Amino acid sequence: MTKVEMTVNGKQVSRDVEGQTLLVSMLREDLRLTGTHVGCDTSQCGACVVHVNGKSVKACTMFAIEADGADIKTIEGMAGSDGSLSVIQSAFQEHHGLQCGFCTPGMVMTAANLLKDNPKPTEAEVRHYLQGNICRCTGYHNIVKAIMAASGQDVSAIAAE
Amino acid sequence: MPKDTGIGASTRRREDVRFLKGKGQYTDDIPPAHDQAAAVFARSTVANGVIKSIDTSVAESMPGVLAVFTGADFADVGGNPAGWLINSRDGEPMKEPKRPVLAHGKVRHVGDAYAAVIAETEKQARDAVEAIEADIEELPAIMDVKAALTSDNFVHDEIGTNQCFDWGWIEDNRRATDDAIKGAAHVTTLELVNNRLVPNAMEPRCSMASYKESSDEYTLHTTSQNPHLTRLLISAFVMGIPENKLTVIAPDVGGGFGSKIYHYGEEALVLAAAKRVGRTVKWTSDRTEAFLTDAHGRDHVTKIELATDAEGNFLAFRTETYANVGAYLSNFATATPTFLHGTLMAGNYTVPNVYVNVKAVFTNTAPVDAYRGAGRPEATYSLERVIDKCARELGMDPIALRRKNFIKPDQYPFASAAGLEYDSGNYDALMDKMEEVADVAGFAARRKASESKGMLRGFGVNAYVEACGIAPSNLVGVLGSRVGLYDAATVRVNATGNLSVMVGAHSHGQGHETVFPQIVSDMLGIDAQSIDIVHGDTSKIPFGMGTYGSRSLAVCGSAVVRATEKIIAKAKKIAGHMLEAADTDIEFKDGQFSVVGTNKSVSFGEVALKAYIPHNFPIEDIEPGLEETAFYDPANFTFPSGAYCCEVEVDPDTGKVRVDRMTAVDDFGNVMNPMIVTGQVHGGLGQGIGQALLEAARYNEDGQLESASYMDYAMPRADDLPFYIVDHSQGTPCTHNPLGAKGCGEAGAIGSPPTVVNAVIDALQSGGKNVTHIDMPLTPHRVWSAMNNA
Ligand code: FES
Ligand code: FES
């Protein structure tokens, strides 16, 4: 067991973990932050994306001990302190960018990182950036639309409901 | 009544808030019980083998191990049954070998579980599984559906054949169909494969059971689309646990697409283990297990013939299909290739003769069952591909050929040659709308633009009709179903005027928590926010057959309407008493009960309060309380239909296909929430395009699943797909349910695969390549090879 300390959603936490404990397991099992999901065992679905020191990372590709000292943000930390949805979260609701909700935390975290790097992405840029995130429900249309809307672009011309 | 929350409003989904905040509660997210243990399965690595011996002694003595189960532990319990009895053409009932909780005697596909370890932690259970010594003698794998029928190597030795059934539909039409084909001016023949798919709901399956000795009660949390059906299967067939001693809870479920309809052995195992070790026992599938053991979809090998006269009037469709059912019969495996497929083989057409032959075949592969569309995508693909080929052979426009044979709006109700009675539709109107919104007229210019970039551009079109709202119990009973397919709802008006609506349907992405309140609030004239939906828990809801086959709205939604009507009827009586008038003189509108012709009225809330505080209440005539239940059994299937088109660009150098424009115009009858309906179509289109271009569950000849991870199974990603053009303005209401609703969940996955393939063939033909068919998925390699061999 090794002691790891990190900041998660603004709170200082410390836990004893085994060397091979994945970050995603620590978040889900030790910290009970179950909004970060596990959808695969080959690091390809993106359901587990969190931010580590401001960068989106698949939490199933990182050992918890590698995140020692890091600043972590999970989906649970995305809403405002009053519980209000962030711009990206609101856009997902407004544009029906989720159905079963399982891929959604990873999508939101990835989208947040995209918009940080590229505040006004084109459709092609959004689609390309989402390559590591699989959604089986939405056919991606409304996810792409929601992300473009969250970036402040007018999406009314994109075929709608 | 706020207009933005009633029937027809694109109300934003209330469930989104918890999902967007990471507060969804999927089965694997449930906080662990203080006594929780883990189950891990030992799974076969060979496709076909005799279990000579299983030595669990080392595993049993390993740290943390609480119990080890093998097939022998379940020798006395029942098998997981097929829900539908099919008779062969000769009248013989289908072969129905037992599907045990754990493999016993033989393993029959890679991933078939033959033992399970229960331990304190998952890691300990995994280590102990490694220590199980299983001596399994490998046999040659039975993989090819046609070869399997002549082989004397059997998946199930006790039945002495690999054929489950040989079904004819409609057997009495066989001769007439043969004659029509023999005498026809033109016959188009096409042999095709409907590729095997893995459903891939993003949430892997998960089951967690506990047992309370004091009351002899079990609770099972599980990833299910239909908790009552799961309970029924466990109680009546597999474990014999009385239904009143078993609670099944399916909390938030991360997608299903069919794969979570079925009862799986893992659920029975954790129940048995919970009792044996006296602990909460949980199993969570990893993605590899999901690939190996979730029921797969499709997998038909088909020959279809279309006979026409010289003018292109359809005279007959005849198909011969080999349907791979895998190693065991999953719960709907026998219904999917038969009554959900053969009955749709007249399509949207007035064709007088249809005959369908389906041979269902056991192989050493994962069980195959209903996957989004279930039988109807297979029917539509066969029909719409052969029609396209026929149009090309006759030199006719593919839209004109379809229109020529469409059932016309004045022909409803229409008795199809495949045995169904379509209640409503207007296929020409759908085609008109499709031509308009897809800008079909602009295709020629877009083709030129593509060609100037060195790309081939193709246009593909397609029509479909499907049967949803499954299903009239009487009818399906005659056809072999072992269950009824009604649904149920309870509307509970609480004393303070808010409502709980318990529904038998289960939402795993469909938005029931938003849509059912829209309906009830519209009917009662009260705020939708005061209405909550309760679903997914057999201890809280009356009964229900669950969500699949695009049935939630048409069947369960109708039950909600009926229960709400009963509420209104009783409330009118109470209001009549309060207003000192006969209930027949009470009118209910916008949440107010009033005496006709007067200004006397009471609100819905006042009536609710009265029902629970029955002072000065006509107790002899009216019971206190305001809660009603309705079971709704539909009179017929519903028949959504659509006209789809697609434009693709094919790179002649690489064979890579890009879907540039995809248009879906559907008739879903009346639409409750257009935003959600559109989203359902999008999802279906994504899966349909995935089937057409990317996805394939590929086994090698030894029965190893070569595409058992996201590295090898090509899931559609965002940059594989375009924005879609979706329209449902041409709805013709269903004539026999109170909402006029038809169902929209599967349409996109049914209508899109043939559209895409038709478009690719058109592109290749436009490039002078005489390619008439390519089997899905249309990978660059397949397209390039077809072009270069043409
Ligand atoms: S669980 Fe991390 S990428 Fe799938
Ligand atoms: S919303 Fe279900 S997987 Fe994306």
Side-chain angles (χ1 to χ4, degrees), chain A residues 55-74:
Chain A
K55 279 257 163 282
S56 52
V57 167
K58 289 178 172 170
C60 71
T61 60
M62 192 173 187
F63 292 118
I65 51 171
E66 293 178 277
D68 191 30
D71 184 13
I72 311 266
K73 193 170 203 174
T74 70

PDB file of all heavy atoms in Angstrom, chain A residues 55-74:
ATOM      1  N   LYS A  55      -5.816  18.607 -17.898  1.00  0.00           N
ATOM      2  CA  LYS A  55      -5.810  17.910 -19.196  1.00  0.00           C
ATOM      3  C   LYS A  55      -6.728  16.704 -19.114  1.00  0.00           C
ATOM      4  O   LYS A  55      -6.745  15.998 -18.109  1.00  0.00           O
ATOM      5  CB  LYS A  55      -4.388  17.396 -19.495  1.00  0.00           C
ATOM      6  CG  LYS A  55      -3.478  18.437 -20.059  1.00  0.00           C
ATOM      7  CD  LYS A  55      -3.326  18.223 -21.573  1.00  0.00           C
ATOM      8  CE  LYS A  55      -2.776  19.440 -22.312  1.00  0.00           C
ATOM      9  NZ  LYS A  55      -3.725  20.513 -22.566  1.00  0.00           N
ATOM     10  N   SER A  56      -7.466  16.408 -20.198  1.00  0.00           N
ATOM     11  CA  SER A  56      -8.322  15.231 -20.101  1.00  0.00           C
ATOM     12  C   SER A  56      -7.494  13.964 -20.250  1.00  0.00           C
ATOM     13  O   SER A  56      -6.603  13.861 -21.100  1.00  0.00           O
ATOM     14  CB  SER A  56      -9.477  15.282 -21.098  1.00  0.00           C
ATOM     15  OG  SER A  56      -9.018  15.521 -22.377  1.00  0.00           O
ATOM     16  N   VAL A  57      -7.800  13.020 -19.376  1.00  0.00           N
ATOM     17  CA  VAL A  57      -7.049  11.769 -19.282  1.00  0.00           C
ATOM     18  C   VAL A  57      -8.058  10.643 -19.101  1.00  0.00           C
ATOM     19  O   VAL A  57      -9.054  10.809 -18.392  1.00  0.00           O
ATOM     20  CB  VAL A  57      -6.097  11.811 -18.058  1.00  0.00           C
ATOM     21  CG1 VAL A  57      -5.536  10.436 -17.748  1.00  0.00           C
ATOM     22  CG2 VAL A  57      -4.972  12.818 -18.273  1.00  0.00           C
ATOM     23  N   LYS A  58      -7.805   9.516 -19.739  1.00  0.00           N
ATOM     24  CA  LYS A  58      -8.636   8.341 -19.475  1.00  0.00           C
ATOM     25  C   LYS A  58      -8.178   7.754 -18.140  1.00  0.00           C
ATOM     26  O   LYS A  58      -7.041   7.274 -18.033  1.00  0.00           O
ATOM     27  CB  LYS A  58      -8.509   7.333 -20.608  1.00  0.00           C
ATOM     28  CG  LYS A  58      -9.199   7.828 -21.881  1.00  0.00           C
ATOM     29  CD  LYS A  58      -9.073   6.894 -23.054  1.00  0.00           C
ATOM     30  CE  LYS A  58      -9.959   7.379 -24.201  1.00  0.00           C
ATOM     31  NZ  LYS A  58      -9.729   6.659 -25.458  1.00  0.00           N
ATOM     32  N   ALA A  59      -9.059   7.790 -17.169  1.00  0.00           N
ATOM     33  CA  ALA A  59      -8.661   7.405 -15.816  1.00  0.00           C
ATOM     34  C   ALA A  59      -8.376   5.914 -15.697  1.00  0.00           C
ATOM     35  O   ALA A  59      -7.887   5.448 -14.677  1.00  0.00           O
ATOM     36  CB  ALA A  59      -9.733   7.823 -14.816  1.00  0.00           C
ATOM     37  N   CYS A  60      -8.675   5.152 -16.760  1.00  0.00           N
ATOM     38  CA  CYS A  60      -8.338   3.729 -16.734  1.00  0.00           C
ATOM     39  C   CYS A  60      -6.934   3.487 -17.270  1.00  0.00           C
ATOM     40  O   CYS A  60      -6.475   2.355 -17.316  1.00  0.00           O
ATOM     41  CB  CYS A  60      -9.346   2.922 -17.539  1.00  0.00           C
ATOM     42  SG  CYS A  60      -9.221   3.174 -19.319  1.00  0.00           S
ATOM     43  N   THR A  61      -6.263   4.569 -17.698  1.00  0.00           N
ATOM     44  CA  THR A  61      -4.914   4.376 -18.257  1.00  0.00           C
ATOM     45  C   THR A  61      -3.836   4.841 -17.283  1.00  0.00           C
ATOM     46  O   THR A  61      -2.668   4.909 -17.633  1.00  0.00           O
ATOM     47  CB  THR A  61      -4.713   5.187 -19.549  1.00  0.00           C
ATOM     48  OG1 THR A  61      -4.910   6.572 -19.228  1.00  0.00           O
ATOM     49  CG2 THR A  61      -5.668   4.782 -20.628  1.00  0.00           C
ATOM     50  N   MET A  62      -4.262   5.189 -16.092  1.00  0.00           N
ATOM     51  CA  MET A  62      -3.310   5.811 -15.169  1.00  0.00           C
ATOM     52  C   MET A  62      -3.424   5.130 -13.813  1.00  0.00           C
ATOM     53  O   MET A  62      -4.539   4.867 -13.340  1.00  0.00           O
ATOM     54  CB  MET A  62      -3.711   7.281 -15.048  1.00  0.00           C
ATOM     55  CG  MET A  62      -2.722   8.155 -14.373  1.00  0.00           C
ATOM     56  SD  MET A  62      -3.288   9.873 -14.535  1.00  0.00           S
ATOM     57  CE  MET A  62      -1.871  10.688 -13.857  1.00  0.00           C
ATOM     58  N   PHE A  63      -2.304   4.833 -13.206  1.00  0.00           N
ATOM     59  CA  PHE A  63      -2.349   4.309 -11.847  1.00  0.00           C
ATOM     60  C   PHE A  63      -2.614   5.454 -10.873  1.00  0.00           C
ATOM     61  O   PHE A  63      -2.169   6.583 -11.109  1.00  0.00           O
ATOM     62  CB  PHE A  63      -1.024   3.621 -11.488  1.00  0.00           C
ATOM     63  CG  PHE A  63      -0.789   2.349 -12.254  1.00  0.00           C
ATOM     64  CD1 PHE A  63       0.297   2.221 -13.109  1.00  0.00           C
ATOM     65  CD2 PHE A  63      -1.680   1.278 -12.124  1.00  0.00           C
ATOM     66  CE1 PHE A  63       0.496   1.048 -13.823  1.00  0.00           C
ATOM     67  CE2 PHE A  63      -1.466   0.104 -12.837  1.00  0.00           C
ATOM     68  CZ  PHE A  63      -0.387  -0.014 -13.688  1.00  0.00           C
ATOM     69  N   ALA A  64      -3.284   5.121  -9.794  1.00  0.00           N
ATOM     70  CA  ALA A  64      -3.587   6.148  -8.796  1.00  0.00           C
ATOM     71  C   ALA A  64      -2.303   6.781  -8.278  1.00  0.00           C
ATOM     72  O   ALA A  64      -2.229   7.998  -8.086  1.00  0.00           O
ATOM     73  CB  ALA A  64      -4.394   5.534  -7.652  1.00  0.00           C
ATOM     74  N   ILE A  65      -1.263   5.962  -8.109  1.00  0.00           N
ATOM     75  CA  ILE A  65      -0.025   6.534  -7.549  1.00  0.00           C
ATOM     76  C   ILE A  65       0.627   7.519  -8.515  1.00  0.00           C
ATOM     77  O   ILE A  65       1.341   8.418  -8.100  1.00  0.00           O
ATOM     78  CB  ILE A  65       0.995   5.442  -7.138  1.00  0.00           C
ATOM     79  CG1 ILE A  65       1.243   4.454  -8.275  1.00  0.00           C
ATOM     80  CG2 ILE A  65       0.536   4.705  -5.887  1.00  0.00           C
ATOM     81  CD1 ILE A  65       2.397   3.500  -7.978  1.00  0.00           C
ATOM     82  N   GLU A  66       0.352   7.364  -9.809  1.00  0.00           N
ATOM     83  CA  GLU A  66       0.895   8.327 -10.771  1.00  0.00           C
ATOM     84  C   GLU A  66       0.224   9.690 -10.623  1.00  0.00           C
ATOM     85  O   GLU A  66       0.729  10.688 -11.129  1.00  0.00           O
ATOM     86  CB  GLU A  66       0.670   7.840 -12.206  1.00  0.00           C
ATOM     87  CG  GLU A  66       1.445   6.595 -12.586  1.00  0.00           C
ATOM     88  CD  GLU A  66       1.112   6.168 -14.009  1.00  0.00           C
ATOM     89  OE1 GLU A  66       0.077   5.486 -14.199  1.00  0.00           O
ATOM     90  OE2 GLU A  66       1.859   6.530 -14.916  1.00  0.00           O
ATOM     91  N   ALA A  67      -0.950   9.671  -9.999  1.00  0.00           N
ATOM     92  CA  ALA A  67      -1.678  10.934  -9.835  1.00  0.00           C
ATOM     93  C   ALA A  67      -1.377  11.576  -8.490  1.00  0.00           C
ATOM     94  O   ALA A  67      -2.042  12.535  -8.089  1.00  0.00           O
ATOM     95  CB  ALA A  67      -3.179  10.685 -10.000  1.00  0.00           C
ATOM     96  N   ASP A  68      -0.388  11.051  -7.804  1.00  0.00           N
ATOM     97  CA  ASP A  68      -0.014  11.624  -6.501  1.00  0.00           C
ATOM     98  C   ASP A  68       0.317  13.103  -6.694  1.00  0.00           C
ATOM     99  O   ASP A  68       1.093  13.457  -7.581  1.00  0.00           O
ATOM    100  CB  ASP A  68       1.187  10.850  -5.942  1.00  0.00           C
ATOM    101  CG  ASP A  68       1.454  11.210  -4.485  1.00  0.00           C
ATOM    102  OD1 ASP A  68       0.480  11.560  -3.774  1.00  0.00           O
ATOM    103  OD2 ASP A  68       2.628  11.152  -4.074  1.00  0.00           O
ATOM    104  N   GLY A  69      -0.302  13.925  -5.890  1.00  0.00           N
ATOM    105  CA  GLY A  69      -0.029  15.358  -5.960  1.00  0.00           C
ATOM    106  C   GLY A  69      -0.798  16.111  -7.034  1.00  0.00           C
ATOM    107  O   GLY A  69      -0.669  17.326  -7.155  1.00  0.00           O
ATOM    108  N   ALA A  70      -1.566  15.381  -7.821  1.00  0.00           N
ATOM    109  CA  ALA A  70      -2.237  16.022  -8.960  1.00  0.00           C
ATOM    110  C   ALA A  70      -3.515  16.730  -8.531  1.00  0.00           C
ATOM    111  O   ALA A  70      -4.072  16.478  -7.466  1.00  0.00           O
ATOM    112  CB  ALA A  70      -2.561  14.976 -10.025  1.00  0.00           C
ATOM    113  N   ASP A  71      -3.945  17.592  -9.446  1.00  0.00           N
ATOM    114  CA  ASP A  71      -5.227  18.257  -9.269  1.00  0.00           C
ATOM    115  C   ASP A  71      -6.214  17.578 -10.215  1.00  0.00           C
ATOM    116  O   ASP A  71      -6.057  17.637 -11.438  1.00  0.00           O
ATOM    117  CB  ASP A  71      -5.056  19.742  -9.626  1.00  0.00           C
ATOM    118  CG  ASP A  71      -6.334  20.527  -9.375  1.00  0.00           C
ATOM    119  OD1 ASP A  71      -7.248  19.996  -8.705  1.00  0.00           O
ATOM    120  OD2 ASP A  71      -6.421  21.666  -9.868  1.00  0.00           O
ATOM    121  N   ILE A  72      -7.191  16.909  -9.651  1.00  0.00           N
ATOM    122  CA  ILE A  72      -8.109  16.090 -10.457  1.00  0.00           C
ATOM    123  C   ILE A  72      -9.492  16.732 -10.462  1.00  0.00           C
ATOM    124  O   ILE A  72      -9.965  17.206  -9.418  1.00  0.00           O
ATOM    125  CB  ILE A  72      -8.269  14.677  -9.839  1.00  0.00           C
ATOM    126  CG1 ILE A  72      -6.903  14.064  -9.525  1.00  0.00           C
ATOM    127  CG2 ILE A  72      -9.145  13.790 -10.711  1.00  0.00           C
ATOM    128  CD1 ILE A  72      -6.332  13.190 -10.565  1.00  0.00           C
ATOM    129  N   LYS A  73     -10.102  16.693 -11.622  1.00  0.00           N
ATOM    130  CA  LYS A  73     -11.504  17.126 -11.683  1.00  0.00           C
ATOM    131  C   LYS A  73     -12.313  16.021 -12.351  1.00  0.00           C
ATOM    132  O   LYS A  73     -11.906  15.492 -13.394  1.00  0.00           O
ATOM    133  CB  LYS A  73     -11.607  18.417 -12.490  1.00  0.00           C
ATOM    134  CG  LYS A  73     -12.961  19.085 -12.345  1.00  0.00           C
ATOM    135  CD  LYS A  73     -12.887  20.481 -12.964  1.00  0.00           C
ATOM    136  CE  LYS A  73     -13.943  21.386 -12.408  1.00  0.00           C
ATOM    137  NZ  LYS A  73     -13.802  22.751 -12.892  1.00  0.00           N
ATOM    138  N   THR A  74     -13.416  15.676 -11.725  1.00  0.00           N
ATOM    139  CA  THR A  74     -14.298  14.658 -12.306  1.00  0.00           C
ATOM    140  C   THR A  74     -15.629  15.319 -12.657  1.00  0.00           C
ATOM    141  O   THR A  74     -15.846  16.487 -12.343  1.00  0.00           O
ATOM    142  CB  THR A  74     -14.580  13.524 -11.303  1.00  0.00           C
ATOM    143  OG1 THR A  74     -15.417  14.032 -10.260  1.00  0.00           O
ATOM    144  CG2 THR A  74     -13.290  12.958 -10.708  1.00  0.00           C
TER     145      THR A  74
END
